[in-house]
Amino acid sequence: MPNEEEALQNRVRSLMQDAGMTQTQLAEAIGITRTKLSLSLSGDRRFSTFELAAIAEKFHTTVDFLVSGKTPSTAALAARDDSHKSPAWEVAVKRAESLDETEAALNDLGIAKVISPLPNWQRPALTGLAIGDGPTLADAARTLLADDFRADMPSAIETAFGIHVIAQALGSGFDGLSWRSEDCRIIVINTDVAWSRQRFTLAHELGHHLAGDVDTKGLLVDTNVMSTEHRIPEMRANAFAAALLMPEKEIRERVNGPVTPSLFASLISAFLVSSDALAWRLKSLGLVDDAERNSLSRMSAAEAAFEGGWEDRYFELVKHQSRQRPPEALVLRSLRAFVAGDISAEWPARVLDCAPDLLHAALDGAASEVVEDKEPVFVP
């Protein structure tokens, strides 16, 4: 039975054979001499961390597979099972899978982590009743979030829970997804929907992670977080999002009588949610009846802004609602490794969704080369 180093060599040879690639071609592709590659494949020289990352990139696999033979994550397998979904869904899944592969490669190469998934999270006991469990989870989540978390929810969630948050334009028919593997947790949000829906979707996806909904399959996709589909995980995630974004205590402190249009407009400003979400929340707390809910939910965000006197804030939200956001912690981690010469520009370029040449130009030669006498070496 081959040892770990021999198994690694066999996997590289197998990938070369399947691709019809010679040692000379692979050596040229990953930037080393044929002699070096031959020595590594024969066991007389170890592959460097840089070379393993380059080989994984070349063959569209992971360093984890090269080193351990580990198959793709359950999330990746689930994604392939649902390949019939919308184009927007497919783009989002591919984005999550690419980021997961990058995280896995950095882990296998021993690159220092910036965040770890759910480092301090302790899930409270759940009853199985979605409407009640959502607020229970929200109360527990709020103890780990900064008091001002609603001002920058993506950063607050990354900091408190170690979940990578990505926001980008993905097209119609998709709101968000939750991804979980052995290496990382990810939330992807579609910026092709209104700012209020993006915020609710982000809270909804966080609820899936904290409730454990994403743990078994590894992938949950929400084409419409406002759907009335009565599945317990979706109902619970929506109840969680409502309670997290619009805490009952804060609402009751502000509502001491009838909910007038002026008061309703000020509540939208305070919680930065849609009129529909707020109206339903007030109804669930017994502060308005069904007729009042129906009437208040018709108030547009623009009308609320003018009624409540927060027009400038509203215009800022609209202006920036299409802004893309990369996963900041993973950006930092991969850029540090690139500048240190541990990985190629391909990996941080994946995270930033840009061309590798752009990184070289932006850093203006800051990235060091892997020199002959100072190779970072991976020991299986």
Side-chain angles (χ1 to χ4, degrees):
M1 182 175 180
N3 59 33
E4 291 181 347
E5 189 175 351
E6 290 170 341
L8 184 153
Q9 295 156 12
N10 290 337
R11 290 186 195 103
V12 175
R13 289 195 191 93
S14 179
L15 289 169
M16 290 171 56
Q17 184 176 354
D18 291 344
M21 184 175 289
T22 66
Q23 288 191 21
T24 299
Q25 290 171 326
L26 178 58
E28 182 178 348
I30 65 174
I32 64 174
T33 65
R34 183 188 180 285
T35 300
K36 272 188 169 184
L37 179 59
S38 179
L39 290 172
S40 295
L41 289 173
S42 66
D44 295 321
R45 172 186 178 273
R46 293 188 184 277
F47 283 107
S48 73
T49 54
F50 187 96
E51 291 160 8
L52 285 176
I55 291 170
E57 176 70 20
K58 180 63 182 177
F59 291 116
H60 305 290
T61 186
T62 65
V63 174
D64 200 12
F65 170 75
L66 294 177
V67 174
S68 66
K70 190 187 299 180
T71 57
S73 68
T74 53
L77 294 174
R80 294 186 180 95
D81 288 343
D82 288 332
S83 59
H84 61 284
K85 299 289 185 178
S86 69
W89 180 91
E90 291 179 5
V91 173
V93 167
K94 287 179 181 178
R95 179 78 166 120
E97 187 170 15
S98 176
L99 294 172
D100 185 25
E101 290 174 355
T102 303
E103 187 85 83
L106 296 177
N107 289 343
D108 291 335
L109 295 172
I111 307 300
K113 286 188 176 183
V114 175
I115 58 173
S116 297
L118 303 186
N120 302 308
W121 174 244
Q122 294 184 346
R123 185 181 303 134
L126 302 180
T127 65
L129 300 175
I131 301 303
D133 286 341
T136 298
L137 285 167
D139 289 342
R142 208 173 290 111
T143 64
L144 298 177
L145 287 163
D147 292 339
D148 62 346
F149 77 92
R150 281 172 296 201
D152 184 357
M153 286 176 58
S155 296
I157 288 171
E158 283 196 345
T159 299
F161 301 108
I163 301 173
H164 296 305
V165 178
I166 302 94
Q168 68 180 69
L170 296 163
S172 61
F174 172 80
D175 282 341
L177 67 76
S178 293
W179 176 287
R180 188 243 183 200
S181 71
E182 293 181 7
D183 293 284
C184 66
R185 289 177 179 267
I186 298 171
I187 292 173
V188 179
I189 303 300
N190 187 7
T191 61
D192 278 333
V193 299
W195 58 267
S196 56
R197 193 181 186 103
Q198 291 179 43
R199 292 170 64 82
F200 194 89
T201 299
L202 178 53
H204 178 102
E205 300 304 333
L206 176 61
H208 279 318
H209 280 277
L210 299 187
D213 299 333
V214 74
D215 289 358
T216 302
K217 187 176 181 182
L219 174 68
L220 280 177
V221 178
D222 288 297
T223 56
N224 179 9
V225 294
M226 304 301 179
S227 171
T228 56
E229 183 180 0
H230 295 301
R231 289 174 51 232
I232 287 179
E234 296 308 318
M235 293 173 63
R236 180 173 55 220
N238 274 349
F240 169 86
L244 185 70
L245 296 174
M246 300 168 280
E248 179 178 358
K249 180 181 178 182
E250 291 185 34
I251 289 178
R252 294 194 183 279
E253 287 174 350
R254 295 170 181 270
V255 179
N256 299 310
V259 181
T260 63
S262 178
L263 174 58
F264 188 75
S266 70
L267 291 174
I268 291 179
S269 172
F271 301 122
L272 296 180
V273 294
S274 69
S275 59
D276 193 45
L278 177 58
W280 274 110
R281 180 65 168 152
L282 295 175
K283 170 69 167 55
S284 70
L285 295 176
L287 296 173
V288 299
D289 60 27
D290 220 25
E292 290 172 309
R293 178 205 64 76
N294 187 49
S295 176
L296 291 170
S297 67
R298 294 174 182 170
M299 181 182 292
S300 69
E303 290 170 337
F306 284 101
E307 177 73 27
W310 49 283
E311 301 100 317
D312 289 345
R313 190 180 193 191
Y314 166 72
F315 290 138
E316 282 296 307
L317 289 166
V318 173
K319 181 172 70 174
H320 296 301
Q321 68 183 359
S322 297
R323 178 179 290 175
Q324 298 196 28
R325 181 190 191 276
E328 292 183 354
L330 190 53
V331 168
L332 178 61
R333 189 183 185 197
S334 59
L335 282 176
R336 282 176 175 170
F338 168 54
V339 171
D342 294 331
I343 58 175
S344 73
E346 296 289 339
W347 296 94
R350 272 191 182 194
V351 180
L352 289 166
D353 199 19
C354 69
D357 288 347
L358 181 59
L359 279 182
H360 285 289
L363 292 171
D364 195 24
S368 61
E369 298 294 330
V370 178
V371 295
E372 184 68 28
D373 61 347
K374 190 181 179 182
E375 286 186 339
V377 173
F378 181 88
V379 180

